[in-house]
Amino acid sequence: MELNSRRMLGVLFLTIALAVCAPARAQSFSYNPVADESAVVVCGNARFTVLTSRLVRMEWADDAVFEDRATLAVVNRHLEVPAFRVSRTRSGVTIRTKDLTLRYKGPGKFAEGNLCVEFTLNGKKVKWHPGADENGNLMGTFRTLDGCTGYSRINYKGDPYEQGILSRDGWALVDESKRHVLQAEDSDWGEWVEARPEGDRLDWYLFAYGHAYKDALADFARVAGRIPLPPKYVFGYWWSRYWQYSDFEFIGLAKEIRSHSIPMDVMVIDMDWHDTWTLMSRNSPKDEFGQRIGWTGYTWQKELFPDPARTLSQLHAMNLRTSLNLHPASGIQPYEDCYDRFVPDYLSRTTDYDGPKDYLSQDGKKRPVPFRMDQRAWADAYFNSVIHPLERMGVDFWWLDWQQWKESKYVKDLSNTFWLNYTFFNDKVRRSTSLSDERPLIYHRWGGLGSHRYQIGFSGDCYDTWDVLRFLPYFTATSSNVGYGYWGHDIGGHQSDGKPYYKPEIYTRWLQYGVFTPIFKTHSTKSALIERRIWTYAPEYAGPMREAVRLRYSLSPYIYTAARETFDTGVCLCRPLYYEYPEAAEAYSHPEEFFFGDDILATAVCEPVDTLTGLAPREIWFPAGNDWYDVATGCIYEGGQTRSLSYTLNENPWYVKAGAIIPMASEEIASLQEHNNLLRLLVAPGEGESKCSVYEDDGVSQAYEKAFARTWVTKRASAGNCTVTVAPREGAYEGMDPMRRLEFVLEGVWVPTEVTVNGAPATWHYEGKDLAVVVSVPEMSASEEVVLSCTFPEDAPVSLLRGKKGVFHRMMAYTPVLKDIFNTSVDLYKLLSRPFLRWAQCASHIDADPSRLKEYLEGLDLEAVRKDLTAEHLEAALATIEAQVAL
């Protein structure tokens, strides 16, 4: 370790500045951009900082002045220093850690001939040098899906897919050379953007993690900042539509959604909350900034919302959070209500302009104030005089919809998207006075590396096509490679390609896929031809749509626990298969499936059902090392194979590791903000041991870093017994319910011969249609251990159970359809045959007498049903049933 005197003074000054100037904030994760001195090696005009044994910062500057301030992507360099050795030559240096060797032959600017890093990947030596081919990079994300029509490495606005920090080649280079720095300052912001010093300089970070992808993500979060945990309500259902609602319409819609037993947590009002003046007229005029007049707005449209505070209060009374759409590109116009507040506020804070004459012409006419978020005085006045008054009315968070010029007009090369993310998120942070304050939240587009600190993401205006739906699993999971794990998509598509407008099947499948996305929000453009109200669809669509929303809420404990793991580990909720199986070629070649948390394999059905069979195809690769339980059908698939499966519209395919435990919520909850102390535990069939944890906190405050609780659940299963142990809850948080109710659901098992809870006989029943044991435990202290034990007949073949769940559900769905067919086009008095009813009614018979389960299953005869359904118009039912029985 060597330091010249100039650098030592710089480090000392910056360290003092960071300690003195940065204000105390409620949400602070102790970032320090100044590396430990012992991690630093200087060699002439080059400086190397060993951040971890596999992550090295490499700087070169023509003036030998190096940067210790945070940059947009990297905010924390003060890590525990790994062991490394340094050897020097006359003008060069070699740095060796346990995982890599860096060689630099100075004193020139980094180039292929003077800098290299070597490490080992799967037993083979890998050598990186500047300019090395980056085709192995597994990519990150891009700014927006506006206009997206399907797979592409470039969106329609020309934004390239930004690279991630993971690569099949084992290395990834992050280049911060041209990105801005965050200057510590004595203000409540703590830091503000500043251009880099003039001169030729390089600022690179080499991630040489091989295929240890999760390790790379963990260390990325250490240097680039943690991924904050959003409020719990964010993971519920969002209603959004670009529509000119009146206040009574919007409140009425909220009540109507509730009346249809559709749970919901967020209602978004698109841009028509504010005056849009001439925006919707033909040949709408443009303002001084090139935008259509009315695109930007801050004045409530009083004809529609005469008392906006009352409207927002009514929504809050229904446990609904609200967000307003905002297009800030046109600054502050004279016709806005806030103009007369903003101008004097701004002028009192800045010396860049010489008094009010810049906003008043000689004739006294008011002039608009340009958008300038990169100027602190402008930002301070904007939030104080424009945004905060609206938030005091009841706006919970902002949907920032920046679609205009990408870079600042005042600070060269600064991304407007990134800086809006920074300011709107940190405006909440700087106003926080205690950890009990609510968590910061924005809804905006990706603004470049480092945007993961300012969640959550709005992916933009895509089309409602199968190709887009097919692309979204890849896009969402791949974004985790840069920590951007909370994309919110327009479920159903924002706009239609017009082929046709009415697309109930695509909307159904999109909702089903949406269950397994970070943010569950339906949306559409302003068109009466695009419908997002579930209950307006025919029952064959409305049923599975409603079930998708309900499943999302049922999975909320699992989702929220996984979100906490994202904060702790840097591994996002939706993640590519190669995180778990980096050496399997199939993990890279199946982009339409992904992991949803640790134990669920998810996908999307991306093709319409066959008009005859009612089945849609879905190819799935099941990773080796586990069997996989198909929750939709009850089948179990052995890992290490690819299967071509098929699903009805009612079936939403998702697969659980055999034997895993999935924490779930009450089936009755209407909002994630309501209190309900029932914890359901879905136990997938499978022998062996498994465990999971259930994370809890108050759901809204910034205290979650330390104020939380966790409950561990373990399971041991053999052919004749399954024991599930719920350990006493650990930890505490404000408002925690000391009591808990439990419900165990063991699917795909035989009727037990004995069920006990803590050694005493338990209350249970057997659910025929799901072949599941359901055990209910009365309310008791969450600090007590609960042990469930189920004993099963060892001689009963589990193979007889597999797939029957899917058959039963399909048979039950077809029963009323076939009755209609028989009573209209075949024979008014014809009844369904006994062989068919033996299948269709089997679940009901099991419910009535579970002890005869084996007898009922062995008595099922598909051949007899086949003979019964010989008419051509019944082939669809037969084909669908046969397909499931074959599995």
Side-chain angles (χ1 to χ4, degrees), residues 836-856:
F836 180 90
L837 289 175
R838 194 170 287 124
W839 280 89
Q841 296 291 136
C842 188
S844 297
H845 287 298
I846 295 169
D847 289 342
D849 190 355
S851 66
R852 298 176 63 186
L853 172 61
K854 189 170 184 289
E855 174 190 342
Y856 290 140

Side-chain angles (χ1 to χ4, degrees), residues 857-872:
L857 296 183
E858 290 176 338
L860 298 175
D861 185 355
L862 180 63
E863 186 59 34
V865 176
R866 184 178 289 112
K867 293 178 181 178
D868 189 51
L869 302 179
T870 55
E872 182 177 349

Side-chain angles (χ1 to χ4, degrees), residues 16 128 169 186-187 191 242 290 355 427 454 476 515 529 542 544 564 580 616 636 665 703 743 759 850 879:
I16 294 172
W128 169 88
D169 295 330
D186 187 13
S187 77
E191 297 171 324
Y242 182 21
D427 175 60
Y454 318 118
T476 309
V515 172
L529 299 176
R564 173 67 197 211
E580 302 293 340
I636 290 186
E743 184 175 276

Side-chain angles (χ1 to χ4, degrees), residues 21-326:
C21 296
R25 301 183 184 186
Q27 180 164 336
S28 175
F29 303 134
S30 302
Y31 301 142
N32 183 351
V34 183
D36 189 301
E37 293 179 3
S38 62
V40 177
V41 178
V42 177
C43 182
N45 287 36
R47 181 174 76 164
F48 303 96
T49 306
V50 185
L51 295 168
T52 76
S53 65
R54 293 174 285 186
L55 172 58
V56 180
R57 185 189 190 192
M58 303 175 292
E59 296 172 275
W60 182 89
D62 61 352
D63 57 4
V65 176
F66 305 112
E67 185 59 74
D68 284 309
R69 291 172 292 181
T71 61
L72 299 190
V74 179
V75 297
N76 185 45
R77 305 185 189 98
H78 199 86
L79 308 181
E80 181 180 349
V81 181
F84 66 93
R85 292 180 291 118
V86 179
S87 57
R88 294 183 179 274
T89 62
R90 183 175 180 180
S91 61
V93 66
T94 298
I95 301 172
R96 291 181 174 88
T97 74
K98 69 182 182 66
D99 294 305
L100 60 78
T101 299
L102 180 151
R103 293 185 175 89
Y104 171 61
K105 300 176 183 179
K109 185 177 181 179
F110 297 155
E112 180 178 351
N114 68 8
L115 177 65
C116 71
V117 175
E118 296 178 349
F119 61 95
T120 300
L121 173 61
N122 295 335
K124 296 181 180 180
K125 183 175 289 187
V126 176
K127 185 176 181 178
W128 169 88
H129 58 76
D133 190 337
E134 296 181 299
N135 284 339
N137 194 283
L138 291 166
M139 310 310 290
T141 191
F142 50 56
R143 186 171 61 93
T144 178
L145 294 182
D146 282 353
C148 175
T149 57
Y151 277 99
S152 176
R153 281 193 167 226
I154 299 177
N155 71 10
Y156 94 109
K157 291 191 174 182
D159 299 327
Y161 232 118
E162 295 190 37
Q163 293 190 332
I165 62 163
L166 310 179
S167 172
R168 297 188 75 173
D169 295 330
W171 60 266
L173 185 70
V174 172
D175 187 355
E176 285 286 280
S177 305
K178 296 182 179 180
R179 300 193 78 199
H180 298 73
V181 297
L182 298 173
Q183 173 65 50
E185 62 175 24
D186 187 13
S187 77
D188 54 4
W189 290 100
E191 297 171 324
W192 199 255
V193 68
E194 186 172 299
R196 287 205 179 236
E198 294 292 330
D200 192 8
R201 60 194 72 248
L202 296 173
D203 188 1
W204 294 346
Y205 295 80
L206 186 71
F207 288 76
Y209 283 77
H211 290 169
Y213 297 142
K214 287 186 176 181
D215 291 348
L217 293 166
D219 286 341
F220 174 72
R222 291 172 69 196
V223 298
R226 303 174 83 169
I227 305 169
L229 177 62
K232 189 175 183 180
Y233 66 79
V234 164
F235 299 104
Y237 172 47
W238 297 28
W239 171 269
S240 180
R241 186 189 185 195
Y242 182 21
W243 197 252
Q244 194 178 56
Y245 287 107
S246 297
D247 55 357
F248 65 87
E249 286 181 283
F250 203 62
I251 296 298
L253 175 63
K255 293 177 179 179
E256 189 171 17
I257 293 173
R258 287 270 195 255
S259 74
H260 287 278
S261 299
I262 299 171
M264 181 172 60
D265 274 271
V266 178
M267 290 196 75
V268 180
I269 310 178
D270 210 318
M271 60 181 295
D272 284 305
W273 68 270
H274 64 73
D275 274 322
T276 53
W277 292 280
T278 63
L279 183 63
M280 300 312 296
S281 63
R282 292 188 177 184
N283 302 317
S284 176
K286 294 186 177 181
D287 58 28
E288 296 84 347
F289 309 108
Q291 307 303 309
R292 292 177 296 163
I293 294 176
W295 182 251
T296 298
Y298 300 98
T299 304
W300 281 94
Q301 198 165 171
K302 291 299 180 63
E303 293 87 350
L304 302 177
F305 297 93
D307 188 351
R310 180 174 179 270
T311 300
L312 298 177
S313 176
Q314 288 177 302
L315 293 169
H316 288 156
M318 288 187 279
N319 266 348
L320 295 171
R321 296 301 185 111
T322 56
S323 178
L324 303 185
N325 176 276
L326 199 58

Side-chain angles (χ1 to χ4, degrees), residues 581-834:
Y581 302 91
E583 309 309 327
E586 295 90 343
Y588 301 88
S589 61
H590 288 77
E592 293 162 27
E593 57 181 285
F594 56 96
F595 276 104
F596 188 66
D598 290 333
D599 293 317
I600 293 177
L601 185 65
T603 188
V605 176
C606 305
E607 295 183 42
V609 298
D610 182 88
T611 54
L612 175 63
T613 66
L615 295 171
R618 177 67 270 173
E619 182 181 277
I620 291 290
W621 173 62
F622 292 104
N626 294 99
D627 289 344
W628 297 88
Y629 177 62
D630 186 340
V631 182
T633 66
C635 292
I636 290 186
Y637 299 103
E638 184 178 350
Q641 63 170 327
T642 300
R643 295 291 299 264
S644 296
L645 307 176
S646 56
Y647 294 93
T648 68
L649 192 62
N650 285 323
E651 294 167 345
N652 184 7
W654 56 293
Y655 314 92
V656 175
K657 289 179 182 177
I661 309 160
I662 306 297
M664 304 182 79
S666 166
E667 294 179 311
E668 306 301 324
I669 59 172
S671 164
L672 296 184
Q673 299 166 77
E674 71 179 39
H675 173 69
N676 191 303
N677 68 359
L678 174 64
L679 173 64
R680 296 166 61 223
L681 296 169
L682 172 64
V683 181
E687 296 183 12
E689 298 183 5
S690 60
K691 68 177 182 178
C692 77
S693 70
V694 185
Y695 171 80
E696 302 171 70
D697 61 28
D698 61 27
V700 291
S701 84
Q702 298 177 33
Y704 67 87
E705 185 176 7
K706 296 181 179 179
F708 63 89
R710 195 179 290 275
T711 302
W712 288 95
V713 184
T714 57
K715 186 217 71 172
R716 291 184 178 181
S718 62
N721 181 266
C722 180
T723 299
V724 183
T725 302
V726 181
R729 179 197 278 153
E730 301 172 358
Y733 57 89
E734 187 72 25
M736 184 174 73
D737 189 339
M739 308 299 286
R740 172 179 285 159
R741 293 174 294 144
L742 291 171
E743 184 175 276
F744 300 87
V745 181
L746 284 64
E747 286 204 4
V749 297
W750 286 101
V751 176
T753 56
E754 183 182 36
V755 180
T756 63
V757 171
N758 291 346
T763 301
W764 64 278
H765 70 277
Y766 194 83
E767 194 73 45
K769 69 181 188 317
D770 295 328
L771 300 173
V773 177
V774 181
V775 184
S776 298
V777 179
E779 188 174 72
M780 60 189 302
S781 172
S783 62
E784 296 181 33
E785 181 182 75
V786 175
V787 180
L788 167 72
S789 178
C790 292
T791 303
F792 302 100
E794 295 189 23
D795 58 343
V798 293
S799 59
L800 196 58
L801 302 171
R802 301 298 172 246
K804 295 297 192 300
K805 174 183 177 180
V807 178
F808 292 164
H809 283 263
R810 290 184 185 184
M811 288 289 210
M812 293 165 70
Y814 268 108
T815 296
V817 176
L818 292 176
K819 288 180 178 179
D820 286 343
I821 292 173
F822 280 134
N823 287 309
T824 55
S825 59
V826 180
D827 186 341
L828 182 62
Y829 300 103
K830 183 176 177 63
L831 299 176
L832 294 177
S833 68
R834 287 186 176 180

Side-chain angles (χ1 to χ4, degrees), residues 343-381:
V343 169
D345 192 351
Y346 177 40
L347 294 178
S348 70
R349 299 171 187 269
T350 182
T351 58
D352 284 6
Y353 297 93
D354 187 17
K357 64 176 180 288
D358 289 305
Y359 301 104
L360 299 173
S361 66
Q362 291 182 353
D363 60 4
K365 185 177 180 181
K366 295 178 180 180
R367 299 296 182 190
V369 186
F371 170 83
R372 194 175 174 184
M373 186 62 81
D374 45 57
Q375 184 192 38
R376 185 161 58 83
W378 194 97
D380 283 340

